[in-house]
Amino acid sequence: MNENSFYSIDRLIEFGMGMAMAQQMIGMMNETMKIMYVPGAPSNMMSTTPFSIYVGINNQTIGPLDEKDFAKLAADKKIDCSTLVWMPGMTCWKPIEQVPNALRIIALTPPPLPNI
């Protein structure tokens, strides 16, 4: 077998090293995509953390709410961008406009149908 053949030991080692580098690059890209935030896009890729949020309305804490219940409050105009919310991992209550996950749901919630 000559040295330029694909099956020579040098070519097989080069091929194996190339495959290993490609796998590392794919892993790095997937990790980067998991933490990337794109406004209006669905939740992070492969997110395993369920949406759970607490809302402050009339000096009362309501929650934990899932995404559906939170969107219903927004559709019913019971909350707006200035409403205080807290999610697991946050150190303090913040207005919805400062919490990207909550703001995304507010922005994507359609308004109620008009009375015609």
Side-chain angles (χ1 to χ4, degrees), residues 112-116:
L113 288 172
N115 293 331
I116 300 177

Side-chain angles (χ1 to χ4, degrees), residues 74-86:
D76 294 343
K77 302 287 185 203
K78 293 182 180 177
I79 59 174
D80 59 27
C81 289
S82 63
T83 303
L84 293 176
V85 296
W86 180 86

